[in-house]
Amino acid sequence: MYNADYKIIVIGGSAGSFSVLSSILADIRPDFRIPIVLSLHRLKHVRSGLVEGLSLKSAIKIVEPNDKDKMEPNTVYLAPANYHLFIELDGTFALSTEEPRNHSRPSIDHTFFSAAYAYRDKAMGILLTGANRDGALGIKAIADKKGYTIIQDPATADIDTMPKAALELFKPDEVVSPEQIVQILNSLPS
């Protein structure tokens, strides 16, 4: 079972994940304190709209961080379009325009790798629906550092390639529906 002192929750998703994330953010309690970092595949030439769209449902503030911004509690951070988002050891963000990984920038793997390295067993990783393998190695890295791992049940995913790719690599702590993800998050202490 999970412990009670997570310092970060990282969520990755691609095709089909906007509606899943919207429903998760709509149902997370407003006093949720643990910073949530979203790494979503998005169109590189469309720079606005996603924060606004997710904010319509969320009682928690959603922002795109700038390079060297410090993570704050009770905030959801969305990787900016066409930037990799890394989490540093000091709890700040680093943005990068290095080459895409798995044809993606932002890359879920990069965000998850950095969260695993910086927070080890204090990280929780959640991988949602998607159409490629990005995120599979990253969520395994969180598991390897004793963080808690949740994969959306492929049977509930619009496109099951991403969750299935992760399930081919390792056995996560949970394979659950989006509704069960919300229950797990809301069970964490504030």
Side-chain angles (χ1 to χ4, degrees), residues 74-147:
N74 198 234
T75 306
V76 176
Y77 296 93
L78 174 65
N82 209 25
Y83 286 92
H84 294 305
L85 181 66
F86 296 91
I87 297 129
E88 303 283 2
L89 289 171
D90 64 358
T92 60
F93 293 104
L95 300 178
S96 164
T97 56
E98 62 190 70
E99 288 300 309
R101 179 181 174 91
N102 290 312
H103 313 288
S104 304
R105 188 172 59 209
S107 162
I108 299 165
D109 275 341
H110 281 327
T111 302
F112 281 17
F113 288 148
S114 67
Y117 181 73
Y119 288 93
R120 308 181 71 81
D121 64 335
K122 306 291 190 241
M124 178 182 282
I126 302 172
L127 190 63
L128 303 176
T129 177
N132 75 17
R133 300 183 66 83
D134 188 30
L137 289 172
I139 198 162
K140 183 180 183 303
I142 292 172
D144 290 346
K145 297 290 187 186
K146 309 299 183 215

Side-chain angles (χ1 to χ4, degrees), residues 141-186:
I142 292 172
D144 290 346
K145 297 290 187 186
K146 309 299 183 215
Y148 201 77
T149 54
I150 300 171
I151 295 175
Q152 181 180 351
D153 184 342
T156 68
D158 284 354
I159 300 176
D160 63 9
T161 308
M162 192 174 285
K164 281 186 172 177
L167 291 171
E168 289 169 6
L169 294 178
F170 79 109
K171 184 180 185 316
D173 295 295
E174 308 271 357
V175 179
V176 294
S177 69
E179 296 77 18
Q180 291 167 303
I181 293 171
V182 170
Q183 291 170 7
I184 291 167
L185 294 177
N186 281 335

Side-chain angles (χ1 to χ4, degrees), residues 1-38:
M1 196 62 182
Y2 46 87
N3 65 42
D5 55 352
Y6 293 106
K7 304 294 184 205
I8 188 172
I9 294 168
V10 287
I11 302 176
S14 187
S17 65
F18 179 82
S19 61
V20 174
L21 264 175
S22 293
S23 65
I24 290 171
L25 292 174
D27 292 332
I28 289 180
R29 63 182 201 275
D31 67 341
F32 194 84
R33 304 274 308 150
I34 305 167
I36 298 172
V37 179
L38 308 177

Side-chain angles (χ1 to χ4, degrees), residues 57-69:
K57 300 280 189 175
S58 177
I60 303 171
K61 174 176 67 174
I62 302 174
V63 298
E64 287 184 344
N66 293 306
D67 196 54
K68 304 304 176 212
D69 280 358

